[in-house]
Every structure is written in structure tokens, then in C-alpha cells.
Short mmCIF file of all heavy atoms in Angstrom, two decimals:
data_model
loop_
_atom_site.label_atom_id
_atom_site.label_comp_id
_atom_site.label_asym_id
_atom_site.label_seq_id
_atom_site.Cartn_x
_atom_site.Cartn_y
_atom_site.Cartn_z
N MET A 1 168.47 138.51 115.13
CA MET A 1 169.92 138.40 114.95
C MET A 1 170.67 139.28 115.96
O MET A 1 170.11 140.38 116.19
CB MET A 1 170.22 138.76 113.51
CG MET A 1 171.73 138.64 113.30
SD MET A 1 172.15 138.65 111.54
CE MET A 1 171.04 139.75 110.70
N THR A 2 171.77 138.83 116.47
CA THR A 2 172.41 139.65 117.41
C THR A 2 173.14 140.82 116.80
O THR A 2 173.84 140.55 115.70
CB THR A 2 173.52 138.80 118.26
OG1 THR A 2 172.80 137.77 118.92
CG2 THR A 2 174.22 139.67 119.29
N ASP A 3 173.14 141.94 117.34
CA ASP A 3 173.76 143.19 116.76
C ASP A 3 175.19 143.00 117.21
O ASP A 3 175.47 143.44 118.44
CB ASP A 3 173.16 144.28 117.11
CG ASP A 3 173.78 145.65 116.57
OD1 ASP A 3 174.79 145.57 115.75
OD2 ASP A 3 173.34 146.72 116.98
N THR A 4 176.15 142.68 116.46
CA THR A 4 177.55 142.54 116.75
C THR A 4 178.17 143.86 117.09
O THR A 4 179.12 144.02 117.97
CB THR A 4 178.42 141.97 115.73
OG1 THR A 4 178.28 142.63 114.58
CG2 THR A 4 177.95 140.49 115.31
N ALA A 5 177.61 145.00 116.55
CA ALA A 5 178.25 146.23 116.88
C ALA A 5 177.86 146.65 118.44
O ALA A 5 178.58 147.52 118.97
CB ALA A 5 177.56 147.36 116.00
N SER A 6 176.84 145.96 119.05
CA SER A 6 176.54 146.43 120.37
C SER A 6 177.35 145.54 121.41
O SER A 6 177.27 145.87 122.64
CB SER A 6 175.07 146.18 120.61
OG SER A 6 174.70 144.78 120.49
N ARG A 7 178.02 144.54 120.92
CA ARG A 7 178.82 143.72 121.90
C ARG A 7 180.09 144.55 122.33
O ARG A 7 180.57 145.29 121.59
CB ARG A 7 179.34 142.51 121.21
CG ARG A 7 178.24 141.56 120.69
CD ARG A 7 178.89 140.31 119.96
NE ARG A 7 177.90 139.43 119.50
CZ ARG A 7 178.10 138.47 118.72
NH1 ARG A 7 179.34 138.26 118.24
NH2 ARG A 7 177.13 137.67 118.28
N PRO A 8 180.44 144.46 123.66
CA PRO A 8 181.48 145.05 124.08
C PRO A 8 182.83 144.45 123.53
O PRO A 8 182.79 143.24 123.13
CB PRO A 8 181.57 144.76 125.61
CG PRO A 8 180.79 143.56 125.78
CD PRO A 8 179.70 143.65 124.83
N ARG A 9 183.86 145.24 123.25
CA ARG A 9 185.08 144.74 122.64
C ARG A 9 185.80 143.84 123.75
O ARG A 9 185.58 144.02 124.80
CB ARG A 9 185.98 145.92 122.21
CG ARG A 9 186.57 146.68 123.43
CD ARG A 9 187.62 147.56 122.99
NE ARG A 9 188.17 148.42 124.01
CZ ARG A 9 189.22 147.96 124.86
NH1 ARG A 9 189.51 146.66 124.82
NH2 ARG A 9 189.52 148.81 125.77
N PRO A 10 186.44 142.88 123.14
CA PRO A 10 187.26 141.99 124.06
C PRO A 10 188.22 142.82 124.93
O PRO A 10 188.90 143.79 124.51
CB PRO A 10 188.00 141.01 123.12
CG PRO A 10 187.26 141.14 121.87
CD PRO A 10 186.74 142.54 121.70
N ILE A 11 188.43 142.35 126.06
CA ILE A 11 189.51 142.76 126.96
C ILE A 11 190.83 142.51 126.39
O ILE A 11 191.12 141.52 125.99
CB ILE A 11 189.48 142.36 128.39
CG1 ILE A 11 188.08 142.58 128.98
CG2 ILE A 11 190.67 142.79 129.35
CD1 ILE A 11 187.93 141.77 130.23
N THR A 12 191.76 143.56 126.22
CA THR A 12 193.30 143.26 125.87
C THR A 12 194.02 142.97 126.99
O THR A 12 193.97 143.73 128.08
CB THR A 12 193.77 144.47 125.06
OG1 THR A 12 193.72 145.66 125.90
CG2 THR A 12 192.97 144.76 123.78
N VAL A 13 194.87 141.98 126.94
CA VAL A 13 195.64 141.39 127.95
C VAL A 13 197.05 141.15 127.45
O VAL A 13 197.22 140.58 126.45
CB VAL A 13 195.04 140.04 128.46
CG1 VAL A 13 196.03 139.61 129.59
CG2 VAL A 13 193.63 140.32 129.02
N ALA A 14 198.04 141.65 128.20
CA ALA A 14 199.47 141.33 127.98
C ALA A 14 199.90 140.44 129.11
O ALA A 14 199.54 140.54 130.17
CB ALA A 14 200.21 142.71 127.98
N LEU A 15 200.70 139.39 128.63
CA LEU A 15 201.21 138.45 129.52
C LEU A 15 202.73 138.54 129.87
O LEU A 15 203.44 138.89 128.94
CB LEU A 15 201.00 136.96 128.94
CG LEU A 15 199.55 136.71 128.55
CD1 LEU A 15 199.49 135.35 127.80
CD2 LEU A 15 198.59 136.71 129.53
N VAL A 16 203.03 138.53 131.17
CA VAL A 16 204.41 138.75 131.44
C VAL A 16 205.06 137.68 132.24
O VAL A 16 204.52 137.33 133.30
CB VAL A 16 204.55 140.15 132.25
CG1 VAL A 16 205.99 140.38 132.67
CG2 VAL A 16 203.96 141.39 131.47
N ASP A 17 205.98 137.02 131.72
CA ASP A 17 206.77 136.04 132.31
C ASP A 17 207.90 135.68 131.35
O ASP A 17 207.88 135.92 130.22
CB ASP A 17 206.03 134.64 132.45
CG ASP A 17 206.72 133.68 133.33
OD1 ASP A 17 207.44 132.69 132.72
OD2 ASP A 17 206.62 133.58 134.52
N ASP A 18 209.01 135.23 132.07
CA ASP A 18 210.20 134.97 131.03
C ASP A 18 210.17 133.63 130.34
O ASP A 18 211.34 133.35 129.63
CB ASP A 18 211.48 135.10 131.96
CG ASP A 18 211.69 136.51 132.48
OD1 ASP A 18 211.09 137.46 131.98
OD2 ASP A 18 212.50 136.80 133.49
N TYR A 19 209.28 132.88 130.46
CA TYR A 19 209.26 131.55 129.95
C TYR A 19 208.13 131.40 128.85
O TYR A 19 206.99 131.37 129.13
CB TYR A 19 209.09 130.34 130.89
CG TYR A 19 210.36 130.27 131.84
CD1 TYR A 19 210.56 131.08 132.87
CD2 TYR A 19 211.36 129.35 131.57
CE1 TYR A 19 211.68 131.05 133.70
CE2 TYR A 19 212.47 129.21 132.34
CZ TYR A 19 212.58 130.10 133.38
OH TYR A 19 213.75 129.98 134.26
N ASP A 20 208.58 131.24 127.53
CA ASP A 20 207.63 131.24 126.40
C ASP A 20 206.59 130.09 126.72
O ASP A 20 205.37 130.30 126.42
CB ASP A 20 208.36 130.89 125.19
CG ASP A 20 209.17 132.13 124.67
OD1 ASP A 20 208.90 133.19 125.20
OD2 ASP A 20 210.01 131.94 123.82
N VAL A 21 207.01 128.88 127.10
CA VAL A 21 206.10 127.72 127.22
C VAL A 21 204.96 128.02 128.25
O VAL A 21 203.93 127.69 128.08
CB VAL A 21 206.82 126.39 127.48
CG1 VAL A 21 207.50 126.52 129.06
CG2 VAL A 21 205.82 125.20 127.44
N VAL A 22 205.35 128.66 129.33
CA VAL A 22 204.42 129.07 130.36
C VAL A 22 203.34 130.07 129.77
O VAL A 22 202.11 129.87 130.03
CB VAL A 22 205.17 129.78 131.53
CG1 VAL A 22 204.18 130.36 132.66
CG2 VAL A 22 205.97 128.68 132.24
N LEU A 23 203.76 131.15 129.05
CA LEU A 23 202.82 131.98 128.51
C LEU A 23 202.11 131.44 127.33
O LEU A 23 200.85 131.85 127.19
CB LEU A 23 203.57 133.24 127.95
CG LEU A 23 204.24 134.11 129.17
CD1 LEU A 23 204.71 135.39 128.62
CD2 LEU A 23 203.32 134.33 130.33
N MET A 24 202.52 130.69 126.60
CA MET A 24 201.90 130.02 125.47
C MET A 24 200.63 129.16 126.06
O MET A 24 199.61 129.12 125.57
CB MET A 24 202.68 129.22 124.57
CG MET A 24 203.68 130.01 123.74
SD MET A 24 202.84 131.34 122.74
CE MET A 24 201.89 130.43 121.64
N GLY A 25 200.90 128.46 127.15
CA GLY A 25 199.91 127.70 127.79
C GLY A 25 198.75 128.72 128.39
O GLY A 25 197.61 128.19 128.14
N LEU A 26 199.19 129.67 128.94
CA LEU A 26 198.12 130.60 129.46
C LEU A 26 197.34 131.07 128.32
O LEU A 26 196.11 131.29 128.38
CB LEU A 26 198.87 131.68 130.25
CG LEU A 26 197.86 132.73 130.75
CD1 LEU A 26 196.87 132.11 131.66
CD2 LEU A 26 198.76 133.65 131.70
N ALA A 27 198.03 131.63 127.19
CA ALA A 27 197.28 132.20 126.15
C ALA A 27 196.33 131.26 125.43
O ALA A 27 195.16 131.64 125.10
CB ALA A 27 198.31 132.66 125.02
#
């Protein structure tokens, strides 16, 4: 069984653009 504690945490990413629909698609 994989030890979940040993997995690296996910990268945190902030998205910057003035259009919600653009960023929601990227997300």
C-alpha cells in the first residue's frame, strides 16, 4: 500500500486574468 504521507503535497497555483470564464476553463 502506498504511504500517502510520503507523497509530495500538491503545488498551489493562483490564476490571474480578468475574465472568469477564462480562468474557470483553465482551472
Side-chain angles (χ1 to χ4, degrees):
M1 180 167 36
T2 303
D3 181 6
T4 57
S6 65
R7 294 177 184 170
R9 67 168 179 80
I11 299 168
T12 57
V13 178
L15 306 179
V16 179
D17 184 273
D18 290 342
Y19 290 81
D20 290 346
V21 64
V22 172
L23 294 191
M24 292 305 295
L26 178 55

